[in-house]
């Protein structure tokens, strides 16, 4: 999931000076949109309310007190039944080699559809037909591509993300998509222990940051790495047993086993009360965090998940 969109091939960029001028003009247009737009891509603004149950071990992240990120480069996503906007955290090397989605923006195109966004909406669409409601839990929220896919459908979302730059972009998206009453954000890494944990952030590739330094740099070894301490919290310490959870998505660059262990109570719920599970199952990343796909599958069977199918590097599991 780290590379959530397919790369464009053979892109021919204009001169740096022209590109920078176009970039500046686009930025001004975006600022105009931020302050004056009244559109709301959320088709069901009143379908649910923000989570109000008491949080025992960690308080939600306050976007109102979060320093504003800049520049804000955001756009709508193409080819989704329920479209949404999101803001980029990694801009590429400006002005010569901008992020692929910035190049698309300058050509008047929407952002590429992230695969996980389409998957989330497909799964939740089936739940909606069945008349089911509940929370979507997004572990490894990145810039919100899974969270906003769910929120614009009217589903309540709990998102866990430890990187401040990504949290800032999630806050951008909460405003842009008008989903402040649906999305609750936690500045933390979900794990199997409560406390603090070392986290490794890759400059220029924040989507590839990870608990494991080795895992963070597997695909992008040339990037600068910054180690920092972040909060860690088991999902079972945050989500009350009385709250329904429809879907649990985990993309944490090899730390999936530890997240799952910290959600054993949630995953042990009976039958349809247990969440539909989507997690990244990349053996290289798992081994970098001292676990394996076998460890995960054995654990999932122990809590009743006997039906798993592979979708690329993602696994989908149900009871």
């Amino acid at each position: 999931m780290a590379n959530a969109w397919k790369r464009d091939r053979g892109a021919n960029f204009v001169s740096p000076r022209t590109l920078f001028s176009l970039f500046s003009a686009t930025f001004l247009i975006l600022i105009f949109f931020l302050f004056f737009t009244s559109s709301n891509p959320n088709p069901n603004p009143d379908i649910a309310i923000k989570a109000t149950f008491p949080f025992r071990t960690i308080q939600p992240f306050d976007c109102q007190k979060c320093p504003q990120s800049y520049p804000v480069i955001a756009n709508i996503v193409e080819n989704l039944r329920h479209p949404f906007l999101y803001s980029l955290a990694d801009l590429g090397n400006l002005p010569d080699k901008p992020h692929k989605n910035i190049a698309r923006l300058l050509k008047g195109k929407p952002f590429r559809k992230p695969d996980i966004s389409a998957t989330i909406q497909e799964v939740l669409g089936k739940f909606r037909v069945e008349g089911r409601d509940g929370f979507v839990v997004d572990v490894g929220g990145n810039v919100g591509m899974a969270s906003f896919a769910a929120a614009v459908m009217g589903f309540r979302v709990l998102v866990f993300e430890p990187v401040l730059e990504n949290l800032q972009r999630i806050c951008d998206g909460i405003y842009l998509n008008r989903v402040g009453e649906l999305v609750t954000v936690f500045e933390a890494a979900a794990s199997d222990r409560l406390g603090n944990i070392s986290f490794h952030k890759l400059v220029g590739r924040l989507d590839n940051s990870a608990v494991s330094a080795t895992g963070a740099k597997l695909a992008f070894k040339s990037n600068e790495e910054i180690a920092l301490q972040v909060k860690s919290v088991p999902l079972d310490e945050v989500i009350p047993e009385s709250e329904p959870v429809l879907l649990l998505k985990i993309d944490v660059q090899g730390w999936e086993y530890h997240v799952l262990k910290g959600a054993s109570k949630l995953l042990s719920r009976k039958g349809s009360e247990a969440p539909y599970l989507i997690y990244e199952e990349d053996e290289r990343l798992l081994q970098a965090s001292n676990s394996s796909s076998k460890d995960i599958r054995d654990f999932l069977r122990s809590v009743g998940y006997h039906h798993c199918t592979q979708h690329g590097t993602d696994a989908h599991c149900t009871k």
Side-chain angles (χ1 to χ4, degrees):
M1 292 185 208
N3 297 314
W5 47 80
K6 295 181 180 178
R7 297 182 180 273
D8 292 328
R9 296 182 177 178
N12 295 317
F13 298 116
V14 296
S15 68
R17 179 177 297 179
T18 303
L19 180 59
F20 187 75
S21 298
L22 289 170
F23 176 81
S24 300
T26 304
F27 177 64
L28 290 175
I29 293 172
L30 181 59
I31 291 296
F32 179 87
F33 170 83
L34 283 171
F35 284 98
F36 294 100
T37 183
S38 59
S39 63
N40 182 359
N42 177 11
N44 301 289
D46 300 318
I47 195 170
I49 60 174
K50 194 179 182 75
T52 56
F53 51 81
F55 297 104
R56 298 170 293 174
T57 55
I58 186 172
Q59 292 301 307
F61 185 74
D62 189 347
C63 284
Q64 295 298 320
K65 296 180 180 179
C66 176
Q68 176 61 50
S69 61
Y70 62 88
V72 177
I73 308 298
N75 200 0
I76 200 162
V77 175
E78 67 178 358
N79 298 330
L80 285 177
R81 183 173 182 181
H82 304 278
F84 63 89
L85 298 100
Y86 75 90
S87 173
L88 295 176
D90 295 322
L91 306 182
N93 296 319
L94 299 176
D96 297 323
K97 294 182 178 180
H99 189 285
K100 295 292 186 181
N101 271 330
I102 294 178
R104 290 178 61 85
L105 181 69
L106 294 174
K107 296 175 183 178
K109 297 180 179 180
F111 284 173
R112 284 281 190 188
K113 174 183 66 178
D115 292 338
I116 187 58
S117 305
T119 299
I120 292 290
Q121 291 194 351
E122 179 182 355
V123 172
L124 293 178
K126 294 177 181 178
F127 288 147
R128 171 165 288 169
V129 170
E130 296 171 2
R132 297 176 60 188
D133 191 19
F135 283 95
V136 173
V137 179
D138 182 5
V139 178
N142 196 253
V143 296
M145 291 176 287
S147 293
F148 300 138
V152 296
M153 295 179 68
F155 289 95
R156 295 167 290 171
V157 179
L158 304 178
V159 54
F160 295 79
E161 171 57 49
V163 178
L164 177 60
E165 292 87 345
N166 287 340
L167 287 164
Q168 290 176 311
R169 306 307 178 173
I170 290 174
C171 290
D172 291 342
I174 287 174
Y175 172 75
L176 291 171
N177 293 292
R178 309 297 193 269
V179 290
E181 293 300 310
L182 293 168
V183 180
T184 302
V185 186
F186 296 96
E187 184 181 11
S191 188
D192 51 354
R193 295 182 181 180
L194 181 64
N196 294 312
I197 193 171
S198 295
F199 194 84
H200 300 270
K201 179 170 69 174
L202 286 187
V203 177
R205 279 309 307 243
L206 296 175
D207 58 335
N208 219 57
S209 299
V211 173
S212 165
T214 303
K217 295 188 291 185
L218 271 176
F220 303 97
K221 296 181 180 180
S222 64
N223 286 73
E224 178 185 355
E225 170 204 336
I226 298 175
L228 65 156
Q229 290 287 305
V230 301
K231 295 176 184 177
S232 66
V233 61
L235 294 181
D236 284 340
E237 293 289 332
V238 180
I239 304 169
E241 296 181 28
S242 59
E243 295 295 336
V245 176
L246 290 178
L247 188 152
L248 171 58
K249 165 261 174 186
I250 308 172
D251 179 8
V252 287
Q253 298 299 108
W255 203 247
E256 284 77 9
Y257 178 67
H258 303 275
V259 176
L260 292 166
K261 290 281 285 184
S264 58
K265 291 182 181 179
L266 171 63
L267 297 171
S268 296
R269 295 182 182 183
K270 303 298 183 182
S272 62
E273 295 180 359
Y276 187 104
L277 175 62
I278 301 174
Y279 69 94
E280 186 177 38
E281 192 177 75
D282 187 313
E283 194 64 41
R284 298 179 311 151
L285 296 174
L286 292 169
Q287 289 181 3
S289 297
N290 299 315
S291 62
S292 67
S293 58
K294 182 180 183 303
D295 293 335
I296 290 179
R297 295 298 179 98
D298 288 345
F299 170 74
L300 289 177
R301 280 191 288 270
S302 75
V303 292
Y305 281 82
H306 297 288
H307 305 285
C308 291
T309 57
Q310 202 72 24
H311 301 255
T313 59
D314 293 343
H316 291 219
C317 299
T318 60
K319 291 193 174 182

Short mmCIF file of all heavy atoms in Angstrom, two decimals, residues 271-312:
data_model
loop_
_atom_site.label_atom_id
_atom_site.label_comp_id
_atom_site.label_asym_id
_atom_site.label_seq_id
_atom_site.Cartn_x
_atom_site.Cartn_y
_atom_site.Cartn_z
N GLY A 271 -18.69 -13.88 15.14
CA GLY A 271 -19.38 -13.79 13.87
C GLY A 271 -19.30 -12.43 13.20
O GLY A 271 -18.22 -11.85 13.02
N SER A 272 -20.47 -11.89 12.84
CA SER A 272 -20.54 -10.63 12.12
C SER A 272 -20.17 -9.43 12.99
O SER A 272 -20.01 -8.33 12.48
CB SER A 272 -21.94 -10.43 11.54
OG SER A 272 -22.91 -10.38 12.58
N GLU A 273 -20.04 -9.64 14.30
CA GLU A 273 -19.61 -8.56 15.18
C GLU A 273 -18.11 -8.31 15.07
O GLU A 273 -17.62 -7.25 15.48
CB GLU A 273 -19.96 -8.87 16.63
CG GLU A 273 -21.46 -8.94 16.90
CD GLU A 273 -21.77 -9.24 18.35
OE1 GLU A 273 -20.80 -9.42 19.13
OE2 GLU A 273 -22.96 -9.31 18.70
N ALA A 274 -17.36 -9.27 14.53
CA ALA A 274 -15.93 -9.09 14.31
C ALA A 274 -15.71 -8.26 13.05
O ALA A 274 -16.44 -8.41 12.06
CB ALA A 274 -15.25 -10.44 14.17
N PRO A 275 -14.73 -7.38 13.04
CA PRO A 275 -14.53 -6.52 11.88
C PRO A 275 -13.98 -7.26 10.67
O PRO A 275 -13.25 -8.24 10.81
CB PRO A 275 -13.52 -5.48 12.38
CG PRO A 275 -12.77 -6.18 13.47
CD PRO A 275 -13.78 -7.08 14.13
N TYR A 276 -14.37 -6.77 9.50
CA TYR A 276 -13.72 -7.19 8.25
C TYR A 276 -12.29 -6.65 8.34
O TYR A 276 -12.06 -5.49 8.65
CB TYR A 276 -14.46 -6.58 7.06
CG TYR A 276 -14.00 -7.06 5.71
CD1 TYR A 276 -14.77 -7.98 4.99
CD2 TYR A 276 -12.84 -6.57 5.12
CE1 TYR A 276 -14.37 -8.40 3.73
CE2 TYR A 276 -12.43 -7.00 3.87
CZ TYR A 276 -13.20 -7.91 3.17
OH TYR A 276 -12.80 -8.34 1.92
N LEU A 277 -11.31 -7.50 8.05
CA LEU A 277 -9.91 -7.14 8.26
C LEU A 277 -9.16 -7.01 6.93
O LEU A 277 -9.22 -7.92 6.09
CB LEU A 277 -9.22 -8.19 9.14
CG LEU A 277 -7.71 -8.05 9.37
CD1 LEU A 277 -7.39 -6.75 10.10
CD2 LEU A 277 -7.18 -9.25 10.15
N ILE A 278 -8.49 -5.88 6.75
CA ILE A 278 -7.59 -5.67 5.62
C ILE A 278 -6.23 -5.28 6.19
O ILE A 278 -6.13 -4.31 6.95
CB ILE A 278 -8.09 -4.56 4.68
CG1 ILE A 278 -9.48 -4.88 4.12
CG2 ILE A 278 -7.09 -4.35 3.53
CD1 ILE A 278 -10.07 -3.75 3.30
N TYR A 279 -5.20 -6.03 5.86
CA TYR A 279 -3.87 -5.66 6.34
C TYR A 279 -2.82 -5.96 5.27
O TYR A 279 -3.00 -6.84 4.43
CB TYR A 279 -3.52 -6.39 7.65
CG TYR A 279 -3.30 -7.89 7.51
CD1 TYR A 279 -2.01 -8.40 7.32
CD2 TYR A 279 -4.36 -8.79 7.56
CE1 TYR A 279 -1.80 -9.76 7.19
CE2 TYR A 279 -4.15 -10.14 7.45
CZ TYR A 279 -2.87 -10.63 7.26
OH TYR A 279 -2.66 -11.99 7.13
N GLU A 280 -1.73 -5.21 5.32
CA GLU A 280 -0.63 -5.45 4.39
C GLU A 280 0.18 -6.64 4.86
O GLU A 280 0.56 -6.72 6.04
CB GLU A 280 0.27 -4.22 4.28
CG GLU A 280 1.35 -4.38 3.22
CD GLU A 280 2.21 -3.13 3.06
OE1 GLU A 280 2.52 -2.48 4.06
OE2 GLU A 280 2.57 -2.82 1.91
N GLU A 281 0.44 -7.56 3.96
CA GLU A 281 1.19 -8.78 4.30
C GLU A 281 2.40 -8.89 3.37
O GLU A 281 2.39 -9.63 2.40
CB GLU A 281 0.29 -10.01 4.18
CG GLU A 281 0.89 -11.26 4.79
CD GLU A 281 -0.06 -12.45 4.71
OE1 GLU A 281 -0.22 -13.02 3.62
OE2 GLU A 281 -0.67 -12.78 5.75
N ASP A 282 3.42 -8.12 3.69
CA ASP A 282 4.66 -8.10 2.92
C ASP A 282 5.73 -8.81 3.74
O ASP A 282 6.14 -8.32 4.79
CB ASP A 282 5.07 -6.65 2.63
CG ASP A 282 6.27 -6.56 1.70
OD1 ASP A 282 7.26 -7.28 1.92
OD2 ASP A 282 6.23 -5.73 0.76
N GLU A 283 6.16 -9.97 3.30
CA GLU A 283 7.05 -10.81 4.10
C GLU A 283 8.36 -10.11 4.44
O GLU A 283 8.89 -10.26 5.55
CB GLU A 283 7.33 -12.12 3.37
CG GLU A 283 7.96 -13.20 4.23
CD GLU A 283 7.03 -13.66 5.35
OE1 GLU A 283 5.82 -13.81 5.11
OE2 GLU A 283 7.52 -13.87 6.47
N ARG A 284 8.91 -9.34 3.52
CA ARG A 284 10.17 -8.63 3.81
C ARG A 284 9.99 -7.65 4.96
O ARG A 284 10.83 -7.58 5.87
CB ARG A 284 10.63 -7.86 2.58
CG ARG A 284 10.96 -8.69 1.34
CD ARG A 284 11.38 -7.75 0.23
NE ARG A 284 10.42 -6.66 0.08
CZ ARG A 284 10.72 -5.43 -0.36
NH1 ARG A 284 11.97 -5.13 -0.65
NH2 ARG A 284 9.79 -4.52 -0.51
N LEU A 285 8.90 -6.90 4.92
CA LEU A 285 8.66 -5.91 5.97
C LEU A 285 8.35 -6.59 7.30
O LEU A 285 8.79 -6.13 8.36
CB LEU A 285 7.51 -5.00 5.57
CG LEU A 285 7.75 -4.13 4.33
CD1 LEU A 285 6.47 -3.38 3.96
CD2 LEU A 285 8.88 -3.14 4.57
N LEU A 286 7.60 -7.68 7.26
CA LEU A 286 7.28 -8.41 8.48
C LEU A 286 8.54 -8.96 9.14
O LEU A 286 8.73 -8.86 10.36
CB LEU A 286 6.29 -9.53 8.19
CG LEU A 286 4.87 -9.09 7.78
CD1 LEU A 286 4.08 -10.29 7.27
CD2 LEU A 286 4.15 -8.44 8.95
N GLN A 287 9.42 -9.52 8.35
CA GLN A 287 10.65 -10.09 8.90
C GLN A 287 11.54 -9.00 9.48
O GLN A 287 12.25 -9.24 10.48
CB GLN A 287 11.39 -10.88 7.82
CG GLN A 287 10.69 -12.18 7.44
CD GLN A 287 11.44 -12.97 6.38
OE1 GLN A 287 12.52 -12.58 5.95
NE2 GLN A 287 10.86 -14.08 5.95
N ALA A 288 11.50 -7.81 8.90
CA ALA A 288 12.28 -6.70 9.44
C ALA A 288 11.79 -6.29 10.82
O ALA A 288 12.51 -5.65 11.58
CB ALA A 288 12.23 -5.50 8.48
N SER A 289 10.54 -6.66 11.14
CA SER A 289 9.96 -6.37 12.46
C SER A 289 9.85 -7.63 13.31
O SER A 289 9.03 -7.70 14.23
CB SER A 289 8.57 -5.73 12.29
OG SER A 289 8.68 -4.49 11.62
N ASN A 290 10.66 -8.65 12.96
CA ASN A 290 10.72 -9.90 13.74
C ASN A 290 9.39 -10.63 13.81
O ASN A 290 8.98 -11.14 14.86
CB ASN A 290 11.25 -9.62 15.15
CG ASN A 290 12.64 -9.04 15.16
OD1 ASN A 290 13.53 -9.51 14.45
ND2 ASN A 290 12.85 -7.99 15.96
N SER A 291 8.70 -10.68 12.70
CA SER A 291 7.46 -11.46 12.61
C SER A 291 7.38 -12.06 11.21
O SER A 291 8.32 -11.94 10.41
CB SER A 291 6.24 -10.58 12.91
OG SER A 291 6.12 -9.54 11.96
N SER A 292 6.27 -12.70 10.91
CA SER A 292 6.12 -13.33 9.60
C SER A 292 4.64 -13.46 9.27
O SER A 292 3.78 -13.32 10.15
CB SER A 292 6.77 -14.72 9.58
OG SER A 292 6.06 -15.61 10.44
N SER A 293 4.36 -13.75 8.01
CA SER A 293 2.97 -13.97 7.61
C SER A 293 2.40 -15.19 8.31
O SER A 293 1.21 -15.24 8.64
CB SER A 293 2.88 -14.14 6.09
OG SER A 293 3.70 -15.21 5.66
N LYS A 294 3.24 -16.20 8.59
CA LYS A 294 2.77 -17.38 9.33
C LYS A 294 2.35 -17.00 10.74
O LYS A 294 1.32 -17.47 11.26
CB LYS A 294 3.85 -18.45 9.37
CG LYS A 294 3.41 -19.74 10.09
CD LYS A 294 4.51 -20.77 10.12
CE LYS A 294 4.04 -22.07 10.75
NZ LYS A 294 3.53 -21.87 12.13
N ASP A 295 3.15 -16.15 11.40
CA ASP A 295 2.78 -15.69 12.74
C ASP A 295 1.41 -15.03 12.72
O ASP A 295 0.57 -15.27 13.60
CB ASP A 295 3.81 -14.68 13.26
CG ASP A 295 5.16 -15.31 13.53
OD1 ASP A 295 5.21 -16.52 13.77
OD2 ASP A 295 6.17 -14.57 13.49
N ILE A 296 1.18 -14.20 11.72
CA ILE A 296 -0.10 -13.49 11.62
C ILE A 296 -1.25 -14.46 11.38
O ILE A 296 -2.28 -14.41 12.06
CB ILE A 296 -0.04 -12.43 10.51
CG1 ILE A 296 0.88 -11.28 10.94
CG2 ILE A 296 -1.44 -11.90 10.19
CD1 ILE A 296 1.02 -10.19 9.90
N ARG A 297 -1.07 -15.35 10.41
CA ARG A 297 -2.16 -16.28 10.10
C ARG A 297 -2.47 -17.20 11.28
O ARG A 297 -3.64 -17.50 11.55
CB ARG A 297 -1.81 -17.10 8.86
CG ARG A 297 -1.69 -16.28 7.56
CD ARG A 297 -2.98 -15.60 7.19
NE ARG A 297 -2.85 -14.80 5.98
CZ ARG A 297 -3.20 -15.20 4.76
NH1 ARG A 297 -3.71 -16.41 4.59
NH2 ARG A 297 -3.06 -14.39 3.72
N ASP A 298 -1.42 -17.64 12.00
CA ASP A 298 -1.65 -18.49 13.17
C ASP A 298 -2.43 -17.73 14.23
O ASP A 298 -3.36 -18.27 14.86
CB ASP A 298 -0.32 -18.97 13.75
CG ASP A 298 0.37 -20.01 12.89
OD1 ASP A 298 -0.30 -20.57 11.99
OD2 ASP A 298 1.57 -20.26 13.12
N PHE A 299 -2.06 -16.47 14.45
CA PHE A 299 -2.77 -15.67 15.44
C PHE A 299 -4.22 -15.44 15.03
O PHE A 299 -5.14 -15.56 15.85
CB PHE A 299 -2.07 -14.33 15.64
CG PHE A 299 -2.87 -13.35 16.45
CD1 PHE A 299 -3.00 -13.51 17.83
CD2 PHE A 299 -3.54 -12.30 15.85
CE1 PHE A 299 -3.76 -12.63 18.58
CE2 PHE A 299 -4.30 -11.42 16.59
CZ PHE A 299 -4.41 -11.58 17.97
N LEU A 300 -4.44 -15.13 13.76
CA LEU A 300 -5.80 -14.87 13.30
C LEU A 300 -6.68 -16.11 13.44
O LEU A 300 -7.85 -16.00 13.82
CB LEU A 300 -5.78 -14.39 11.85
CG LEU A 300 -5.23 -12.97 11.63
CD1 LEU A 300 -5.18 -12.64 10.14
CD2 LEU A 300 -6.08 -11.94 12.38
N ARG A 301 -6.13 -17.27 13.17
CA ARG A 301 -6.91 -18.50 13.37
C ARG A 301 -7.26 -18.68 14.84
O ARG A 301 -8.35 -19.17 15.17
CB ARG A 301 -6.13 -19.71 12.83
CG ARG A 301 -6.21 -19.87 11.32
CD ARG A 301 -5.65 -21.22 10.87
NE ARG A 301 -4.19 -21.23 11.00
CZ ARG A 301 -3.35 -20.86 10.04
NH1 ARG A 301 -3.83 -20.44 8.87
NH2 ARG A 301 -2.05 -20.92 10.22
N SER A 302 -6.36 -18.27 15.72
CA SER A 302 -6.62 -18.44 17.15
C SER A 302 -7.77 -17.56 17.65
O SER A 302 -8.38 -17.86 18.69
CB SER A 302 -5.36 -18.13 17.97
OG SER A 302 -5.11 -16.73 18.02
N VAL A 303 -8.08 -16.48 16.92
CA VAL A 303 -9.19 -15.61 17.31
C VAL A 303 -10.39 -15.79 16.37
O VAL A 303 -11.34 -14.99 16.40
CB VAL A 303 -8.76 -14.14 17.37
CG1 VAL A 303 -7.79 -13.91 18.52
CG2 VAL A 303 -8.17 -13.67 16.04
N GLY A 304 -10.34 -16.82 15.52
CA GLY A 304 -11.52 -17.18 14.74
C GLY A 304 -11.55 -16.73 13.30
O GLY A 304 -12.56 -16.93 12.61
N TYR A 305 -10.47 -16.14 12.80
CA TYR A 305 -10.43 -15.72 11.38
C TYR A 305 -9.87 -16.87 10.55
O TYR A 305 -8.66 -17.10 10.51
CB TYR A 305 -9.58 -14.47 11.21
CG TYR A 305 -10.27 -13.19 11.60
CD1 TYR A 305 -10.33 -12.80 12.93
CD2 TYR A 305 -10.88 -12.38 10.64
CE1 TYR A 305 -10.98 -11.63 13.30
CE2 TYR A 305 -11.52 -11.20 11.00
CZ TYR A 305 -11.57 -10.84 12.33
OH TYR A 305 -12.21 -9.68 12.70
N HIS A 306 -10.77 -17.58 9.87
CA HIS A 306 -10.36 -18.77 9.10
C HIS A 306 -10.46 -18.55 7.59
O HIS A 306 -10.15 -19.47 6.83
CB HIS A 306 -11.24 -19.97 9.50
CG HIS A 306 -11.07 -20.37 10.94
ND1 HIS A 306 -9.95 -21.00 11.43
CD2 HIS A 306 -11.90 -20.20 12.01
CE1 HIS A 306 -10.08 -21.21 12.72
NE2 HIS A 306 -11.25 -20.74 13.11
N HIS A 307 -10.89 -17.37 7.17
CA HIS A 307 -11.08 -17.12 5.73
C HIS A 307 -10.28 -15.88 5.34
O HIS A 307 -10.70 -14.76 5.60
CB HIS A 307 -12.56 -16.93 5.41
CG HIS A 307 -13.43 -18.06 5.87
ND1 HIS A 307 -13.48 -19.27 5.23
CD2 HIS A 307 -14.28 -18.14 6.94
CE1 HIS A 307 -14.32 -20.07 5.88
NE2 HIS A 307 -14.82 -19.41 6.91
N CYS A 308 -9.11 -16.11 4.73
CA CYS A 308 -8.26 -15.01 4.27
C CYS A 308 -7.95 -15.20 2.79
O CYS A 308 -7.67 -16.31 2.34
CB CYS A 308 -6.95 -14.96 5.05
SG CYS A 308 -7.13 -14.47 6.79
N THR A 309 -8.04 -14.12 2.05
CA THR A 309 -7.69 -14.12 0.64
C THR A 309 -6.65 -13.04 0.38
O THR A 309 -6.64 -12.00 1.04
CB THR A 309 -8.91 -13.88 -0.25
OG1 THR A 309 -9.54 -12.63 0.12
CG2 THR A 309 -9.93 -15.01 -0.11
N GLN A 310 -5.79 -13.30 -0.60
CA GLN A 310 -4.71 -12.37 -0.91
C GLN A 310 -5.11 -11.47 -2.06
O GLN A 310 -5.65 -11.91 -3.07
CB GLN A 310 -3.44 -13.15 -1.27
CG GLN A 310 -2.15 -12.36 -1.12
CD GLN A 310 -1.78 -12.15 0.35
OE1 GLN A 310 -2.18 -12.91 1.21
NE2 GLN A 310 -1.02 -11.10 0.62
N HIS A 311 -4.86 -10.18 -1.91
CA HIS A 311 -5.13 -9.19 -2.96
C HIS A 311 -3.87 -8.37 -3.12
O HIS A 311 -3.69 -7.34 -2.47
CB HIS A 311 -6.32 -8.29 -2.57
CG HIS A 311 -7.59 -9.03 -2.32
ND1 HIS A 311 -8.64 -9.04 -3.22
CD2 HIS A 311 -8.00 -9.81 -1.28
CE1 HIS A 311 -9.63 -9.76 -2.75
NE2 HIS A 311 -9.26 -10.25 -1.57
N GLY A 312 -2.97 -8.82 -4.00
CA GLY A 312 -1.68 -8.17 -4.11
C GLY A 312 -0.90 -8.41 -2.83
O GLY A 312 -0.74 -9.54 -2.37
#
